[in-house]
Each structure stands twice: as C-alpha cells, then as structure tokens.
C-alpha cells in the first residue's frame, strides 16, 4: 500500500507531539500530556508504522527499544577523544591548578579576572553522542577515551536522551557531538537492588556500577527497564562556528537545554576561585540530600577562547579540573560477628562495629554476605576495618587493616549449627550460601508463614510480617497448621489487635481453607516450586496422595518440571515433619485435591492454543502471575523452564539464565508491551 499525503502528515504530526511530550516530561519535569493521551497517540503511530514500515525513521518514538538483543558490541574510535580530568582533593590543590594554568597562557593573552563554571561531578558512566542533521546516529561508551563501544541500541532506550534535537534557529548545524553522564537515580537504584535481593540475585555495589553494567547489557529491553538517566555537560559542533552560538561553557549548557537535553540544574557561574570553594564546601554536605550520586565538583574555565589557548596535556585538559570529595570511608573496630537466619534458612554473617559517622548517618553494622566473603577479607573480631556505604546506601566492609590486628584474634568460622534452633546447617555444592534446613526453626517458620499467607498462596488478608513475628515469638503457632486453631481471644492479646480485628482475622483464616490445591501446594514453600510449577503439578497429580507417592522420575516427567524441581518435591514429601504437616492440613479440611477439571489445551483463544510461554524477570506493570493468567486465559500454556518446546520468552527486568538459554535456542523474546499486543490482536 502507498501512504496518502494525509497519512504521511499525520505520522509527522504525532511524532512531533510525542517528542514534545517526552521532552517536557523527562527533561523539564513539567508534563504537558496525560499518560493516557500519550499512549493513545503512541498506539496510533505504531499502527501507522506497521501499515507503512517504509515510513519508520530512526528518530521515531517507537524505535527507542530494539526488537532483538545484540550478540556483541563493536569497538569504535571516538570522533573526539574523551580526556580524563586532573584531580584535586582540597581547595589548596585547586589554587595550585589556577596558578599552573595561568603560567601556560602566552604573555599577550594573560588575564586578570576570569569566570569559572562549577558543575557537580555525576558518578556514572561517560557517554559520547553523535547527531547528524539533528538525528541521533551513534552512542559510544568512554572506554579508554580513544576507543569505546558502540552501544547505540542501548542509548536509544534512555528517555532523557533525545532521538531528534530541537533545532529551532539551528538549521545549519550538520553534526553535533554531545558528551554527558549516564546515571541511576538513588531511588531507582534502591528499587533495583530490592528486586534483585528478593529474586536471590547479587545486588549492585553502587549506582555507578549498576549504570555501567546496564549499558553493557546486550538486550536493550533490559536497559529500558532500568530507567537510566542522562545529564549533558559539553558539546562540539561541526559545520558551524561554535562561537556564533556559544562563546562560553555557560552558554553551551543553555544551548544543550534548548536542544532537548537534561542539564544538571545545580551548576554555578563563579567570578573568582573563592566562590568555587564555597560551592564545593556546600555540596560536600548537601550531596547527601541529592537524588543521585556525585563524587566531586568539575571546575571549568568559562571562556571557550581561554580553553582553546590553554589546550591539553597528553592526558587531560589544562582548563578543567575535578575537585573530589573526601572518600566516604571510615575506620572502625569489629566488636562482634553475628549470624542472621533468613526466611529461606540462609545464614548471613553481620559485622557489629563501633558506631562511626558515614555519609551523614551512624553506621554500626555491615553485612559480610557469606563465608566466601569472610575468607576473602580474613576478617576477625577485634580487627580494625575500613567501612563505607556502597552507593551511599548499604554499609560494607572494604578491607581489614591487618597491621592493627590484636595478637590474640582468631579466624572467624561460620557456625556448623543454626544459631536460632541449634540444628546442623548445610552448604550445597555450587552454592555460596550456608542454610539451616530445620523446618521447625523459628526464623524459617516466620518465613514459611509469611509465604503461606501471601497473595499467590492462601492470600490471607491482615497477616503481615509484624503479626507473624508476634505469633511465633509468643509460641502461638509452630506451623502453618496452627493458624487455623487461633482464636479471637488469643489474638486480642497481641499488639494493636482489637476484638473486631481479631474476629475479622479468624474469619479470613477460615475462608482460606477454600483455596484450591494448587495454591496450597505453592503455599507449602517447597524450594524451587513457584505458582506455575504448582499448577502444573496439581494438574498431573490431582491429589496430595498421588504427588506424595510419585517417584522422582514421574515428577520430572511433567512437562515444564525440571530435574532440580522434581528432586526438591520428592525429598520434601519424604521428610517426616512434612508428612505430619500434610496430615494436619487434611484434618483441617484444606483443599488437597483438584475439584475442577483443568481446561482443555486449546480452550481460550485459538491463536495461542498450543503455544508455550515462559516469563522471566520483573515486568514493568504486570506482576508475573498476572501475565501468566492472561496467557492462560488466551489459550496459551506457561511453564517455568526454557526448553526447545518453548515458543516465547516474556522478558522483564533482571532476566537471568532463562534469557541466556533462550538466546542459545533461538526462542522468540517478547516485552510486556509485545505480549499484550499479541493478546489484543488475537
């Protein structure tokens, strides 16, 4: 089909509207369009571009996230080298720098009064952007300053980086080179680490590492979900004399904003070095209240004419310097090393230290992660250690000052028995974590009950973490079965629990007996068994007796159930304490058998019938169980394991080994938006 002039004009109009809305939202922080209106325009543009793919342009808002992951990154040479900055660590060194650059000026160009621009040094990853005729054509990481990696596909996902520049009054510009810093806002960094921790994945040490690591993700959809941000701080223009539109760094920052970039609003024009020193001292404290990480102040001569006259050394510009903050590290002494037991039975060592002020707060504890980390540090009770806040958030021990170690210290050994229940602990082959496997352990019991009452399991409203801890600590429950014997009178004796609340809670617990067998199986908290696995198992083994009597090979024979899950289920049902729990739940009349026939494989939407999906990572808006429910309602099948039989992998943030396996097998990957589009179109 050939597009009409009306359709071509409509596409151009929508793109312009969406670009203006994105600029207002992500750069100016002043939205001009409701989200629902933006979505409506975006869908209309998608439909038009689908109908006329020849009209798709690189700067279209629909092209921010690529369809397929890259197989590798290509090393490229920077158009203009990214020089490092000389460092200063106090005001005296800043004054020495000023004396030095003045000596390098030719006599005929000596100056008395100069202006400086002071900018916060964002702690992220440097990026070089190239625009040709106003359109983003290349994004390159810093690398060694001469060579970097072409990560354009990932750069396009960052909403604060314009795909097309605002060119009002600048039509003659052929090529623009923009430099800036990619970073993660602290609140986003915290959310990412919380998700990774819940998923049992290694948390990022700090926002800088997280930002740099994200930029090197091969899948741009993962990059898009991480919500990276960008501040521009310098530019170079080809095809037009820079001085005709910007004579100074201050004017250049204003120009960058006009072009559509975010520029950190905290920069300051200083008429003398004393003002720079005041700015630095102010932010040395105020940075603790900032929404993003900074590690110093960048000081530049404002005049481009002076910058050109001073030039560069082999490594850095003479006209700029980084005035770094004092390291946010402090020495303290380890008073004790205690071991906490988590919800999964994981033993986590924790250093208790003499309180020390760090990044505006008092730090007295720091995680030591696991026994491997303890061995690596060789940390002992009585040691003097250097502690810091990773990302100004998480206290961690950096190193041990062994020269100050007392003579009578002993190497710390992880306990061989659980510090809560006293039972032997185990460390499975290939794992760094030591675990307590005693199902009656109070720490594990609290986690089991919290899992049992969670929304995907028995969904008992009103039973939160604080109440669970009270129930276990006061010995009102010693298993999930004890929940069903609680009385309103017992609950009334607990903190913040009145008569009406107690009666309502007893009723909610009783009503949970009607939850189906699949939810009960999931609620049992068998390791590696998720809600989808539980559904698959209960479709095959319609009663608890059938599953309990099944051989490991029978369990593994269920489509979507791997060897690791099968072994875990098989061993769980052969543990005497678990057999007692099942008998108790049967006596309490919970649903331990399937009462409804499962839907036929083709029931639902015929276009998804016979298609197998796997969902991995954290989706932008849907919870994983919601995505699974939508797929199943549309006639598709959802499993937890990627195999040759998998048709689609739905990919969210922090996707791990499943994504890697899908890439190897050549399985089609879908974002949440693409999944919803398939379901809608079907």
């Amino acid at each position: 089909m050939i597009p009409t002039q009306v359709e071509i004009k409509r596409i151009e109009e929508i793109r312009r509207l969406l670009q203006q809305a994105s600029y207002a939202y992500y750069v100016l922080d002043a939205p001009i369009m409701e989200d629902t209106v933006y979505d409506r325009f975006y869908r209309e543009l998608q439909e038009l571009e689908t109908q006329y793919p020849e009209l798709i342009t690189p700067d279209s808002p629909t092209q921010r996230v690529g369809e397929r992951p890259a197989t590798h990154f290509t090393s490229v040479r920077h158009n203009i080298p990214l020089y490092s900055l000389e460092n200063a660590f106090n005001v005296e060194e800043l004054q020495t720098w000023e004396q030095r650059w003045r000596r390098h000026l030719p006599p005929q160009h000596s100056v008395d009064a100069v202006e400086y621009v002071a900018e916060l040094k964002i702690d992220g990853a440097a990026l070089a952007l190239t625009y040709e005729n106003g359109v983003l054509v290349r994004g390159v990481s810093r690398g060694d300053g001469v060579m970097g990696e072409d990560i354009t596909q990932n750069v396009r996902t960052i909403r604060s980086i314009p795909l097309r520049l605002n060119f009002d009054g600048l039509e003659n510009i052929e090529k623009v080179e923009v430099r800036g810093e990619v970073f993660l806002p602290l609140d986003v960094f915290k959310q990412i680490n919380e998700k990774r921790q819940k998923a049992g994945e290694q948390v990022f040490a700090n926002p800088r590492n997280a930002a740099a690591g994200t930029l090197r993700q091969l899948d741009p959809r993962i990059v898009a979900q991480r919500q990276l941000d960008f501040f521009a701080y310098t530019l170079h223009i080809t095809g037009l004399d820079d001085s005709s539109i910007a004579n100074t760094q201050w004017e250049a920052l204003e120009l960058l904003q006009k072009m559509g970039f975010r520029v950190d609003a905290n920069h300051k024009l200083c008429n003398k070095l004393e003002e720079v020193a005041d700015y630095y001292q102010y932010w040395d404290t105020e940075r603790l209240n900032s929404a993003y990480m900074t590690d110093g102040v960048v000081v530049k001569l404002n005049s481009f004419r002076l910058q050109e006259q001073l030039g560069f050394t082999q490594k850095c510009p003479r006209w700029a310097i980084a005035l770094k903050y004092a390291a946010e590290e402090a020495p303290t002494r380890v008073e004790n090393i205690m071991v906490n037991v988590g919800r999964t039975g994981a033993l986590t060592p924790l250093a208790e230290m003499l309180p020390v002020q760090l990044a505006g707060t008092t730090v007295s504890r720091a995680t030591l992660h696991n026994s491997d980390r303890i061995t690596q540090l060789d940390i002992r009770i009585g040691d003097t250690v250097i502690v810091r806040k990773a990302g100004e958030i998480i206290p961690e021990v950096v190193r041990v000052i062994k020269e100050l170690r007392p003579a009578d210290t002993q190497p710390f050994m992880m306990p061989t028995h659980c510090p809560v229940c006293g039972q032997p602990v185990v460390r499975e082959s290939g794992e760094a974590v030591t675990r307590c496997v005693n199902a009656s352990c109070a720490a594990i019991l609290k986690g089991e009950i919290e899992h049992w009452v969670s929304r995907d399991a028995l969904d008992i409203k009103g039973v939160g973490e604080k109440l669970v801890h009270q129930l276990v600590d006061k010995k009102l429950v010693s298993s999930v079965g004890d929940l069903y014997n609680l009385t309103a009178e017992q609950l009334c004796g607990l903190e913040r629990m009145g008569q009406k609340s107690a009666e309502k809670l007893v009723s909610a617990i009783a009503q949970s007996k009607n939850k189906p067998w699949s939810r009960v199986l999931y609620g049992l908290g068998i390791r590696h068994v998720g809600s989808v696995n539980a559904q698959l198992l209960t479709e095959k083994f319609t009663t608890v007796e059938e599953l309990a009597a099944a051989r490991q090979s029978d369990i593994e024979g269920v489509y979507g159930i791997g060897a690791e899950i099968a072994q875990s289920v098989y061993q769980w049902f052969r543990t005497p304490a678990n057999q007692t729990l099942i008998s108790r739940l049967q006596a309490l009349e919970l649903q331990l058998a399937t009462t409804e026939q499962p839907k036929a494989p083709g029931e639902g939407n015929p276009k998804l019938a016979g298609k197998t999906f796997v969902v991995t990572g954290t989706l932008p808006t849907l919870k994983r169980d919601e995505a699974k429910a939508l797929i199943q309602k549309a006639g598709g099948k959802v499993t937890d394991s990627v195999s040759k039989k998998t048709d689609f992998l739905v990919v969210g943030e922090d996707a791990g080994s499943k994504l890697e396996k899908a890439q190897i097998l050549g399985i089609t990957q879908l974002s949440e938006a693409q999944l919803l589009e398939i379901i809608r179109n079907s």
Side-chain angles (χ1 to χ4, degrees), residues 42 46 58 60-69 152-159 163 218-225 651 670-674:
Y42 189 90
Q46 275 185 317
S60 173
T62 63
Q63 302 304 296
R64 278 202 175 272
V65 183
E67 294 295 321
R68 293 184 177 277
T152 308
Q153 190 173 230
N154 289 344
V155 168
R156 297 172 68 84
T157 70
I158 303 173
R159 298 284 178 172
L163 300 180
L218 292 174
D219 190 343
R221 290 168 294 190
I222 297 176
V223 183
Q225 293 163 3
V651 182
L670 302 173
S671 65
E672 179 189 292
Q674 291 170 320

Side-chain angles (χ1 to χ4, degrees), residues 90-127:
N90 52 54
V91 174
E92 289 73 22
E93 291 183 3
L94 181 67
Q95 293 168 338
T96 301
W97 165 75
E98 183 189 46
Q99 295 166 3
R100 187 163 57 248
W101 73 252
R102 284 184 178 277
R103 287 198 301 270
H104 277 92
L105 273 180
Q108 64 271 28
H109 296 296
S110 60
V111 293
D112 294 322
V114 296
E115 290 180 328
Y116 298 97
V117 175
E119 305 168 39
L120 294 183
K121 188 175 183 298
I122 311 301
D123 198 11
L127 198 61

Side-chain angles (χ1 to χ4, degrees), residues 410-421:
Q410 298 294 322
F412 179 82
M413 305 296 294
M414 285 289 287
T416 58
H417 291 70
C418 175
V420 176
C421 68

Side-chain angles (χ1 to χ4, degrees), residues 15 19 49 53-63 135 156 164:
R15 284 178 184 158
Q19 287 164 354
E49 290 182 342
E54 68 274 14
L55 296 181
I56 297 175
T57 59
D59 62 315
S60 173
T62 63
Q63 302 304 296
V135 177
R156 297 172 68 84
R164 174 180 284 276

